[in-house]
Amino acid sequence: MKRIGRLFDQVCSFAALRAAALNAAKGKKSKPRIDGFIRNLENEIIALENELLTRIYRPRPYRTFKIHDPKERMICAADFRDRVVHHALCATMEPIFERLSIFDSYACRKEKGHHAAVRRAQYFMNRHPYFLKLDIHKFFDSVDHGILKSQLRRRVKDPDLLWLLDAFVDHPVPWTEPGKGIPIGNLTSQYFANFYLSGLDHFVKEYLRIEGYVRYMDDLVLFADEKDTLWQALAEIEAYLGKNLCLKLKQEGTLVAPVSQGLTFVGFRVFPGVVRIARRGWRRFRRKMMAIDDRLAKGAINDDTWRRSTASLVGHLRQARTRNLRAPFFKAEFGAAQLSP
């Protein structure tokens, strides 16, 4: 693929940074730091533009915290002005990343996402009797900076843009070893992570010739007519990950099984004829609903925000057969069974 140059100006122009700031602030303008930035938008953007053009820009330290969703994860929250640059950078890089993506990669892409990935997995389950489920061990913490920067240089030749990309790749994640890791919580990390595995996608589709394949970030599923095909693919993928990406598979996350057994994938239990919510996905829904209700009770959000947030969560559940779960839950917790259909 031809390398692309002259992209830096698209990132650091006043118009691009202004659009990125407004996009990054959507739904968050009530936060003091973000509200202050937006109120002083023109001066903030001019200062940021000048720092980028003169190459004195440096990302500020992350704010780190722990979540349980449901397993424990460490999150890095970037300063808002850095998130503005993230949005501007990803808007410019997205077409490059998109051209490298296969059809069946579903994370961080327009008109893709969890639900499309589940539908595609079910499509393949109705055409092949067996699946291979894979998960990469500590994926975000294990991304190799040298490999990622080498991958970026094969696609981008603009030295100014490469300087900015390197600034985010090299920005240290506190709990990872030097030269490793990209932080969960950054928009750039989502794009970098998806891009990092794009070569694996082409390896599976073009070298292994696996027609049934779906990837959502570091969750991969392969489908085939014979178990032996999947066991052979597993060995080939393990070797590819170790040699080319310095990654390992999570042994406890590897499974070869008949599709009739059902597949747990991106929070759902997928069968050839039905999609159900996984236990973990249901627990996550209940936890989020209770948190939203608590914020409403404390006056942190209004009724309209509560309803919109609830509608979004319920919309996610509606992708699976969950009516018999939703109706009792809303009636018991909120006295509002009418919200559950």
Side-chain angles (χ1 to χ4, degrees):
M1 179 178 289
K2 182 180 178 181
R3 291 195 303 154
I4 301 173
R6 302 181 65 84
L7 292 171
F8 187 63
D9 290 345
Q10 296 180 31
V11 176
C12 63
S13 71
F14 182 91
L17 291 171
R18 183 181 185 278
L22 295 176
N23 194 29
K26 284 181 179 178
K28 303 171 184 176
K29 293 180 182 178
S30 61
K31 296 183 178 180
R33 175 71 182 94
I34 298 175
D35 179 63
F37 190 100
I38 296 301
R39 286 177 180 274
N40 192 35
L41 185 61
E42 183 173 344
N43 290 333
E44 293 278 8
I45 295 301
I46 290 173
L48 199 49
E49 180 184 19
N50 181 65
E51 288 181 29
L52 289 165
L53 289 173
T54 57
R55 285 201 183 191
I56 64 170
Y57 169 79
R58 297 291 184 275
R60 295 179 178 178
Y62 294 123
R63 179 175 62 87
T64 61
F65 57 93
K66 187 183 300 183
I67 65 168
H68 298 270
D69 191 28
K71 63 183 179 181
E72 183 179 295
R73 295 180 185 272
M74 292 299 297
I75 303 297
C76 288
D79 187 85
F80 182 72
R81 76 194 310 267
D82 294 327
R83 279 182 269 160
V84 171
V85 183
H86 293 172
H87 277 264
L89 178 60
C90 290
T92 297
M93 293 296 297
E94 183 177 20
I96 298 173
F97 293 149
E98 183 63 25
R99 284 194 289 273
L100 292 168
S101 299
I102 65 168
F103 180 85
D104 284 314
S105 171
Y106 288 86
C108 305
R109 298 178 66 196
K110 294 176 181 177
E111 300 181 6
K112 296 287 184 176
H114 289 87
H115 303 150
V118 167
R119 291 192 296 270
R120 188 64 165 168
Q122 190 178 47
Y123 169 88
F124 286 127
M125 293 178 87
N126 281 289
R127 283 156 179 78
H128 302 283
Y130 300 103
F131 71 84
L132 165 64
K133 177 72 167 60
L134 302 173
D135 191 4
I136 296 174
H137 178 67
K138 294 186 177 180
F139 173 54
F140 278 83
D141 288 351
S142 302
V143 169
D144 185 276
H145 292 180
I147 293 173
L148 176 55
K149 290 193 287 186
S150 177
Q151 290 176 329
L152 290 167
R153 278 157 174 75
R154 288 199 291 269
R155 308 302 173 191
V156 175
K157 63 180 180 182
D158 184 331
D160 292 316
L161 185 62
L162 288 170
W163 160 77
L164 183 58
L165 288 165
D166 288 352
F168 289 125
V169 173
D170 291 331
H171 196 196
V173 179
W175 47 84
T176 61
E177 60 182 276
K180 295 278 188 177
I182 51 177
I184 297 174
N186 279 3
L187 181 64
T188 48
S189 295
Q190 297 175 43
Y191 279 88
F192 288 158
N194 215 27
F195 171 67
Y196 195 75
L197 291 177
S198 60
L200 174 64
D201 296 338
H202 289 278
F203 177 77
V204 171
K205 297 290 288 185
E206 297 160 15
Y207 180 78
L208 300 182
R209 300 287 184 180
I210 301 293
E211 181 257 346
Y213 172 71
V214 180
R215 179 172 70 83
Y216 189 93
M217 200 57 75
D218 60 325
D219 288 332
L220 303 83
V221 192
L222 289 73
F223 302 87
D225 295 333
E226 303 289 341
K227 281 188 176 182
D228 286 347
T229 301
L230 297 175
W231 286 116
Q232 180 62 36
L234 171 60
E236 296 273 10
I237 289 170
E238 281 188 305
Y240 178 93
L241 289 172
K243 179 181 178 181
N244 296 281
L245 300 177
C246 293
L247 297 174
K248 296 179 181 179
L249 290 174
K250 187 186 298 181
Q251 295 303 313
E252 63 273 23
T254 299
L255 174 67
V256 175
V259 297
S260 58
Q261 179 176 310
L263 163 69
T264 301
F265 187 49
V266 295
F268 292 92
R269 285 285 293 159
V270 189
F271 297 86
V274 66
V275 176
R276 304 185 187 280
I277 193 71
R279 291 181 181 178
R280 186 171 68 181
W282 176 242
R283 289 196 298 268
R284 183 184 296 118
F285 167 81
R286 289 187 300 173
R287 186 167 59 250
K288 287 184 175 181
M289 272 305 314
M290 298 306 292
I292 292 170
D293 193 56
D294 185 58
R295 293 185 68 199
L296 177 68
K298 292 178 178 178
I301 58 174
N302 56 31
D303 288 345
D304 183 60
T305 300
W306 182 89
R307 289 186 175 276
R308 282 189 283 108
S309 298
T310 300
S312 176
L313 291 171
V314 171
H316 177 67
L317 286 192
R318 282 177 174 164
Q319 303 300 313
R321 188 176 293 179
T322 57
R323 185 183 179 92
N324 290 340
L325 289 173
R326 285 183 277 125
F329 171 77
F330 276 95
K331 187 174 182 179
E333 299 294 341
F334 305 105
Q338 72 274 12
L339 292 175
S340 66

